[in-house]
Amino acid sequence: MKRTNRKTKKNVITIDGPSASGKGIISKNLARIFGWNILNSGAIYRSLAFLSVKNKVSYLVESNLLFLTDQLNLKFKIKKNKLFIILNNQDVTLNILDEKIGIIASKISIFPSLRKKILNMQKNFYQPPGLIAEGRDMGSIVFPEASVKIFLDASLKIRAIRRTKQLQKKGFNVNFKDIFFKIRDRDNSDINRKIAPLAPDSQALIIDSTLLNVEEVIQKIIFYTKQKINLNIN
Ligand code: DC
């Protein structure tokens, strides 16, 4: 995939990393603190997975996904410190959180034409004064010109513990062992796919959050961001 100019920096903070590394909660908090727009790019793949299941079309056929992409109208809203994912005017936040949807999302994310097609959609989420963009290829492919790039990692075990707790809190009937293996499989396919595989961009600051809490990660990112750009926050 063609890379755009990295030299003209943009007020974009990219947060890439494996499943359940904390990208979601960190991005939401940063977007709220900075008053910037947010892009949860995983929600695009998850929404396509959700629509293919809902419309009973095979997600293994790329043309089906390209067709569904044309019908995709995705918005992110932060209210009372919660992120809501609105797909075609419907709140699908919980529907797409299911790990079954995550697995399908990972399977469909290997299609090159699909990735190309949603590239502009993702870029359009940028709006002054800035954007927090999270996913797998935000710093490497979608926003190579981002002024701050973060790669958020954590051990597989702690990620599985966090995701199990998150899903249980939302009422999903899941257990640690099952989530552990599902996340491990998803990591493998995201890391080993040919197009835009999960990997830190060469300019990314790598943060291992295994032993850090949310506040500590946020403070690290704010400290790092202040060294890169002028931020109007305390
Ligand atoms: O971040 P997430 O768990 O919601 O992402 C779900 C899947 O979507 C992930 O396993 C791979 C795919 N994905 C991707 O390929 N590129 C992105 N930028 C974001 C997600």
Side-chain angles (χ1 to χ4, degrees):
M1 217 168 270
K2 200 177 156 219
R3 293 186 175 210
T4 48
N5 185 8
R6 286 174 173 247
K7 285 187 186 139
T8 331
K9 299 283 183 209
K10 229 180 193 178
N11 265 359
V12 177
I13 299 180
T14 58
I15 304 184
D16 290 306
S19 324
S21 56
K23 303 183 303 285
I25 190 162
I26 301 296
S27 303
K28 179 190 69 184
N29 277 289
L30 289 174
R32 181 180 51 79
I33 295 166
F34 293 3
W36 289 8
N37 228 12
I38 187 167
L39 164 62
N40 172 337
S41 59
I44 299 177
Y45 297 92
R46 283 175 181 264
S47 294
L48 287 170
F50 171 71
L51 284 178
S52 65
V53 172
K54 192 175 157 205
N55 296 326
K56 298 192 173 67
V57 296
S58 171
Y59 52 80
L60 299 173
V61 179
E62 193 173 16
S63 57
N64 287 346
L65 299 168
L66 295 175
F67 176 76
L68 289 175
T69 307
D70 289 328
Q71 305 169 29
L72 206 69
N73 177 5
L74 207 57
K75 293 198 175 100
F76 302 105
K77 285 193 181 138
I78 299 176
K79 255 195 221 160
K80 294 190 182 156
N81 204 22
K82 281 192 178 153
L83 177 73
F84 293 91
I85 296 162
I86 314 295
L87 170 64
N88 302 336
N89 294 322
Q90 192 199 336
D91 180 357
V92 294
T93 318
L94 280 183
N95 307 68
I96 66 169
L97 188 62
D98 197 326
E99 193 50 34
K100 285 184 201 126
I101 295 290
I103 290 168
I104 300 175
S106 178
K107 288 190 175 145
I108 67 178
S109 70
I110 61 163
F111 291 116
S113 307
L114 177 69
R115 297 199 78 93
K116 203 169 167 201
K117 187 158 186 171
I118 62 175
L119 197 61
N120 273 334
M121 182 198 291
Q122 296 176 94
K123 285 180 186 292
N124 286 338
F125 278 92
Y126 172 77
Q127 249 178 39
L131 174 73
I132 311 287
E134 65 122 314
R136 304 290 186 289
D137 60 345
M138 296 296 101
S140 53
I141 306 286
V142 184
F143 296 105
E145 73 282 31
S147 34
V148 175
K149 297 181 185 183
I150 306 289
F151 189 86
L152 191 57
D153 209 348
S155 73
L156 174 59
K157 188 177 167 195
I158 198 78
R159 288 187 286 125
I161 291 173
R162 288 175 187 165
R163 182 50 55 89
T164 308
K165 279 191 190 152
Q166 179 197 19
L167 288 169
Q168 284 173 344
K169 215 171 135 193
K170 305 258 183 207
F172 288 88
N173 183 15
V174 290
N175 64 67
F176 168 77
K177 211 169 147 193
D178 187 37
I179 293 295
F180 179 93
F181 289 116
K182 284 195 166 114
I183 289 185
R184 189 196 60 180
D185 291 350
R186 203 140 67 82
D187 279 356
N188 285 338
S189 66
D190 292 348
I191 290 166
N192 295 313
R193 69 177 178 225
K194 289 200 182 86
I195 309 281
L198 169 67
D201 184 81
S202 58
Q203 300 171 329
L205 171 74
I206 299 175
I207 299 179
D208 185 331
S209 77
T210 307
L211 300 173
L212 301 176
N213 64 31
V214 170
E215 194 46 41
E216 287 167 326
V217 176
I218 289 173
Q219 288 313 322
K220 259 185 194 293
I221 296 178
I222 292 179
F223 181 77
Y224 181 65
T225 303
K226 281 181 170 169
Q227 294 170 6
K228 300 261 175 188
I229 56 177
N230 270 334
L231 260 188
N232 282 331
I233 60 157
N234 299 321

